[in-house]
């Protein structure tokens, strides 16, 4: 059973009549987790004799035809009816729910749609003889963009039916960061202390998932190990890597396997779907978390608070459990490239003309005097171009000082500025002197 710990968390919550919020970044496997909960074999193992007392309805909010209250009611009720049919519910109950469904979809008046939905939930909770667990997948957009009134109504239903009705949500951000209205806050209270982050899979789970993605092909232990080593515990990267493996290394004889792996590794670097997967994951991290990952991956000290946040979200292995979250080579290489990109971005001299602050290689330098700053702005405005002494005097001191400022005074000002800009004034990299011609600031 993949993600057994996460599955048990959800079952433990719903068996006690509690709602649960599942949170995980892009393509971590939240949808697969909720669908697994609906699998009869999983329910039989974890619920035992209580299985027949429960009805799990999986609701894929991505299938909503539009972002509206009616659309959420429609897809939720349709999912409940499907779950009841699959569980062998009575024809009489299904018929009553079908009538409510049609009133939700084609109400005689707008108010009839939410009333029909409420009536349908009452029928299920009071007449089906089962506890109802509604699993809302891809819940981010509906919860953020729909009126809080619909979620206040869901909260009222939970208060009414108590343990007979529970909700499980799957989102990329915590509910409290998505829904900001007072009505949404009432709904969020249902999940108090039962927010559960899922991150990278463990190695054993990653191997099991890689085998699922390569099912039906002639796959060796070396093939599976290679896929897992590259993709790590990210479900989306595992699937994308397995797809590339099928095209390049699937069915390759053992004596040609290493050559195929070399080609496969090169193809993974150029695969648009894999680059997009990494970029999407990266964009969901805060600036502090990105910086910490770059430092941590490169073996440098990183902010402890940011690392702790990454571990709490399952993106780094806990210090006391090195076999936990599995980080693959694809993700490591992406982080490394992000670090190089930042170095390139920050390399050189940068002037923030709004604040007057000056940065060298991404590091803020000590404040400049007025003359030093005027000189730097002049050189910065003509980056990589030679600026002669006449231009320096007229722009820094003013034309009235043409006869008063000699070469020694200019060189002294340049020397002071250089001492603040250059890591090594004996071997200047940015503020260059060109004898007999002037000075140049190199970008």
């Amino acid at each position: 059973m993949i993600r057994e710990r996460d599955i048990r968390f959800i079952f433990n919550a719903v068996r006690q009549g509690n709602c649960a919020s599942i949170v995980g970044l892009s393509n971590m496997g939240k949808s697969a987790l909720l669908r697994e909960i609906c699998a009869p074999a999983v329910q039989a193992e974890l619920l035992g004799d209580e299985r027949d007392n429960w009805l799990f309805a999986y609701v894929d909010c991505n299938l909503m035809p539009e972002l509206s209250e009616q659309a959420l009611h429609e897809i939720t009720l349709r999912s409940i009816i499907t779950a009841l049919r699959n569980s062998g519910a009575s024809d009489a109950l299904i018929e009553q729910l079908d009538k409510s469904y049609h009133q939700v979809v084609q109400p005689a008046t707008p108010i009839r749609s939410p009333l029909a939905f409420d009536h349908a939930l009452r029928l299920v909770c009071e007449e089906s003889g089962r506890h109802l667990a509604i699993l809302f997948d891809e819940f981010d957009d509906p919860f953020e963009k729909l009126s809080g009134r619909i979620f206040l109504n869901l909260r009222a239903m939970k208060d009414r039916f108590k343990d007979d009705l529970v909700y499980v949500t799957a989102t990329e951000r915590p509910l409290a960061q998505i829904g900001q209205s007072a009505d949404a806050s009432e709904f969020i209270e249902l999940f108090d202390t039962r927010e559960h982050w899922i991150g990278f899979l463990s190695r054993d789970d990653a191997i099991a998932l890689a085998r699922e993605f390569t099912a039906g092909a002639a796959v060796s232990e070396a093939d599976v190990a290679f896929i897992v080593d590259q993709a790590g515990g990210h479900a989306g990267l595992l699937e994308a890597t397995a797809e590339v493996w099928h095209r390049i290394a699937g069915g390759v004889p053992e004596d040609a396997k290493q050559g195929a792996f070399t080609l496969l590794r090169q193809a993974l670097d150029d695969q648009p779907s894999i680059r997009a997967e990494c970029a999407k994951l990266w964009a969901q991290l805060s600036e502090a978390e990105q910086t910490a990952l770059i430092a941590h991956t490169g073996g440098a000290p990183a902010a402890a608070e940011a690392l702790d946040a990454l571990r709490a979200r399952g993106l780094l292995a806990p210090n006391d459990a090195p076999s936990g979250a599995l980080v693959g080579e694809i993700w490591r290489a992406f982080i490394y490239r992000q670090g190089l990109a930042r170095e390139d971005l920050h390399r050189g001299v940068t002037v923030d003309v709004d604040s007057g602050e000056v940065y060298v290689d991404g590091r803020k330098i000590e404040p400049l005097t007025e003359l030093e700053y005027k000189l730097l702005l002049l050189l910065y405005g003509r980056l990589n171009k030679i600026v002669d002494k006449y231009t320096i005097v007229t722009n820094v001191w003013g034309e009235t000082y043409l006869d008063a400022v000699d070469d020694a005074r200019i060189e002294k000002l340049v020397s002071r500025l250089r001492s603040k800009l250059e890591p090594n004034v004996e071997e200047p990299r940015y503020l260059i002197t060109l004898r007999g011609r002037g000075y140049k600031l190199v970008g």
Side-chain angles (χ1 to χ4, degrees):
M1 186 188 304
I2 297 174
R3 289 201 183 278
E4 181 174 352
R5 172 177 170 271
D6 304 312
I7 290 174
R8 288 188 180 277
F9 171 86
I10 296 174
F11 273 104
N12 287 339
V14 298
R15 289 176 73 176
Q16 297 171 27
N18 296 321
C19 299
S21 168
I22 304 303
V23 189
L25 301 188
S26 173
N27 284 341
M28 283 292 180
K30 299 183 295 295
S31 299
L33 175 64
L34 294 193
R35 286 194 292 266
E36 187 79 354
I37 289 169
C38 296
V42 173
Q43 293 179 16
E45 179 177 345
L46 296 184
L47 291 176
D49 294 338
E50 297 179 40
R51 176 188 170 189
D52 291 338
N53 298 332
W54 281 93
L55 180 72
F56 290 83
Y58 172 78
V59 181
D60 185 354
C61 294
N62 274 346
L63 298 180
M64 292 170 59
E66 61 181 17
L67 274 174
S68 69
E69 179 178 351
Q70 182 182 25
L72 183 59
H73 285 161
E74 184 271 329
I75 193 172
T76 302
L77 186 49
R78 175 156 39 102
S79 300
I80 292 172
I81 293 173
T82 299
L84 281 168
R85 283 200 174 102
N86 292 339
S87 68
S90 68
D91 292 340
L93 178 58
I94 297 294
E95 184 177 349
Q96 291 183 75
L97 290 174
D98 279 337
K99 290 179 181 178
S100 294
Y101 176 80
H102 289 299
Q103 290 176 348
V104 167
V105 176
Q106 295 179 319
T109 59
I111 191 61
R112 292 299 306 167
S113 181
L115 290 177
F117 179 76
D118 290 0
H119 177 68
L121 277 194
R122 182 183 63 78
L123 286 173
V124 176
C125 293
E126 294 181 351
E127 299 187 19
S128 71
R130 303 185 185 193
H131 305 289
L132 173 62
I134 304 177
L135 315 181
F136 289 111
D137 193 15
E138 304 290 353
F139 195 57
D140 302 74
D141 273 0
F143 194 55
E144 180 178 15
K145 297 175 182 177
L146 294 183
S147 167
R149 179 186 60 189
I150 185 174
F151 306 111
L152 185 62
N153 189 41
L154 289 175
R155 166 63 192 259
M157 292 181 186
K158 168 61 178 170
D159 291 342
R160 177 181 179 181
F161 299 120
K162 302 188 185 309
D163 293 353
D164 288 332
L165 176 63
V166 296
Y167 308 121
V168 178
T169 62
T171 55
E172 292 183 352
R173 292 180 292 156
L175 292 174
Q177 294 180 14
I178 302 173
Q180 302 295 324
S181 69
D183 290 343
S185 297
E186 295 266 339
F187 181 75
I188 293 170
E189 287 178 357
L190 293 175
F191 303 86
D192 187 36
T193 74
R194 285 173 296 279
E195 177 183 283
H196 183 73
W197 278 88
I198 68 167
F200 291 150
L201 297 162
S202 67
R203 185 171 188 85
D204 288 344
D205 279 353
I207 289 173
L209 190 57
R211 292 192 180 282
E212 288 186 14
F213 289 140
T214 55
V219 57
S220 67
E221 294 294 329
D223 289 317
V224 173
F226 182 87
I227 292 170
V228 170
D229 287 342
Q230 297 304 311
H234 187 272
L237 288 175
L238 279 166
E239 184 173 14
T241 302
E243 289 176 358
V244 181
W245 172 86
H246 275 288
R247 295 202 308 266
I248 295 177
V252 172
E254 286 301 318
D255 58 359
K257 193 72 75 176
Q258 289 306 314
F261 286 164
T262 300
L263 292 175
L264 178 55
R265 186 67 192 89
Q266 294 170 351
L268 292 174
D269 285 337
D270 298 330
Q271 188 69 17
S273 63
I274 288 178
R275 290 202 303 268
E277 198 72 68
C278 289
K280 191 187 304 182
L281 186 60
W282 186 253
Q284 293 176 293
L285 302 177
S286 69
E287 177 73 18
E289 290 167 341
Q290 292 175 354
T291 301
L293 271 181
I294 290 172
H296 183 75
T297 302
E305 184 177 353
L307 292 179
D308 288 344
L310 290 165
R311 290 189 181 98
R313 294 157 72 178
L315 301 178
L316 281 178
N319 289 325
D320 58 350
S323 62
L326 179 63
V327 180
E329 291 305 313
I330 292 173
W331 182 233
R332 289 183 191 278
F334 180 87
I335 295 170
Y336 177 73
R337 290 194 297 272
Q338 292 301 309
L340 292 179
R342 287 193 177 188
E343 288 180 8
D344 291 340
L345 181 64
H346 293 151
R347 188 172 293 134
V349 179
T350 304
V351 180
D352 186 336
V353 294
D354 293 324
S355 66
E357 294 175 341
V358 180
Y359 297 83
V360 177
D361 296 338
R363 174 185 55 84
K364 186 167 74 172
I365 68 170
E366 64 180 284
L368 303 179
T369 66
E370 182 180 358
L371 289 180
E372 291 167 354
Y373 188 63
K374 283 185 176 181
L375 175 59
L376 179 59
L377 282 183
L378 172 64
L379 298 171
Y380 192 70
R382 304 185 184 190
L383 198 64
N384 296 318
K385 296 180 181 179
I386 299 173
V387 181
D388 59 40
K389 294 180 180 180
Y390 173 84
T391 303
I392 290 175
V393 174
T394 56
N395 283 271
V396 175
W397 281 275
E399 292 185 2
T400 58
Y401 285 84
L402 278 174
D403 296 331
V405 178
D406 58 13
D407 288 357
R409 194 170 176 185
I410 296 172
E411 289 173 2
K412 188 174 181 179
L413 178 61
V414 169
S415 179
R416 292 205 311 267
L417 178 59
R418 181 178 286 136
S419 69
K420 295 181 179 180
L421 294 180
E422 297 290 354
N424 182 3
V425 294
E426 301 300 325
E427 298 180 6
R429 289 161 44 191
Y430 301 123
L431 182 47
I432 309 299
T433 299
L434 294 99
R435 296 296 178 189
R437 302 173 65 188
Y439 304 91
K440 178 170 66 172
L441 187 68
V442 178

